[in-house]
Amino acid sequence: GFESHTVPVYLAECSKPDTRGTVVGCFNAFVVFGQILASLLDGAFFYLDDGWRFMLGFGAVFSLMQLVGMACLPESPRWLVRRGEDDKALAVLQHLRGSVNNEREMEEIREALDEQASELSLRQILRSRPVMYALGVGAGIMALQQLVGINTVMYYSATILKNAGFGGNGDGKLCCCEKDAMPIWLSLSTSGSQFLGILIGQKLSDRVG
């Protein structure tokens, strides 16, 4: 949950304006890609004795890779400018952009922070009809996304498919044969279709808005 809030903000602050939608969308794309990879690993380990131990333990490998990678990430330029560390922010921009002239983007960051400092108070926001309308639409979309049960489908797709008659040995248990691994392999269609939808959304986000 913490990363779901922090990572998109970090990506937005580090990316170029013309590619920001695509870069931020990569977060969701890689989350779903991880689900696809997990299904592939689960299907492979399914045929091993005590394969469930490998299914659970293999996640620690990717967690360790993520931990090491996070330690190598630079601070976002926007955060550094807010702290008054303009020289460090410019160095980060040069590292990220590979350009020697990033003063224009630095100026845009300063202007954005100045505008943010003069934003409406919480009381004024709650009294603003356009802002409340936008907030209601955004919160409503997020609420509907959860209420339709998509997380349940994603997390328990193999179990749902097994209970629907795809594989299983009739006693509610899965055994190590090709037929009974079918729900795991079929669950790839769920994560795969979501991954395809995210890729389409990424292409449209920066073009259409």
Side-chain angles (χ1 to χ4, degrees):
F2 180 76
E3 290 182 355
S4 298
H5 169 75
T6 306
V7 174
V9 174
Y10 177 81
L11 292 175
E13 292 185 355
C14 292
S15 58
K16 295 181 180 180
D18 56 339
T19 60
R20 188 162 294 153
T22 300
V23 172
V24 174
C26 285
F27 171 70
N28 288 328
F30 278 106
V31 168
V32 179
F33 180 77
Q35 294 173 340
I36 295 175
L37 183 59
S39 296
L40 291 172
L41 291 174
D42 289 348
F45 291 136
F46 183 85
Y47 302 98
L48 301 178
D49 294 334
D50 293 330
W52 65 271
R53 300 180 187 273
F54 294 96
M55 296 179 190
L56 293 177
F58 212 84
V61 176
F62 297 102
S63 298
L64 182 60
M65 293 171 58
Q66 183 181 22
L67 181 63
V68 174
M70 289 174 62
C72 301
L73 293 175
E75 304 289 355
S76 77
R78 184 185 180 97
W79 186 80
L80 290 171
V81 172
R82 179 179 294 176
R83 290 171 54 90
E85 302 180 32
D86 290 18
D87 293 339
K88 290 184 179 180
L90 185 59
V92 170
L93 282 176
Q94 291 175 349
H95 175 72
L96 294 174
R97 307 287 187 263
S99 174
V100 295
N101 186 14
N102 294 288
E103 290 294 342
R104 181 177 179 181
E105 188 169 354
M106 284 286 294
E107 187 61 30
E108 292 176 353
I109 293 175
R110 295 189 188 98
E111 292 176 357
L113 290 175
D114 291 339
E115 292 178 2
Q116 184 178 355
S118 60
E119 286 180 353
L120 301 176
S121 64
L122 179 60
R123 178 177 296 181
Q124 291 173 317
I125 291 175
L126 295 176
R127 291 180 177 179
S128 174
R129 182 171 296 181
V131 174
M132 291 303 298
Y133 176 78
L135 178 62
V137 171
I141 292 175
M142 296 299 295
L144 289 174
Q145 183 183 22
Q146 299 302 313
L147 290 173
V148 297
I150 183 60
N151 288 338
T152 302
V153 175
M154 294 298 297
Y155 297 150
Y156 299 101
S157 56
T159 302
I160 294 172
L161 289 168
K162 180 177 73 69
N163 292 336
F166 296 94
N169 54 14
D171 59 359
K173 299 180 180 180
L174 293 176
C175 59
C176 294
C177 62
E178 183 176 354
K179 178 181 178 181
D180 295 293
M182 186 184 300
I184 296 178
W185 297 116
L186 288 178
S187 66
L188 285 169
S189 62
T190 305
S191 52
S193 59
Q194 186 178 6
F195 184 71
L196 179 61
I198 291 174
L199 293 181
I200 295 174
Q202 281 184 278
K203 290 294 183 180
L204 296 177
S205 60
D206 290 319
R207 295 182 181 180
V208 181

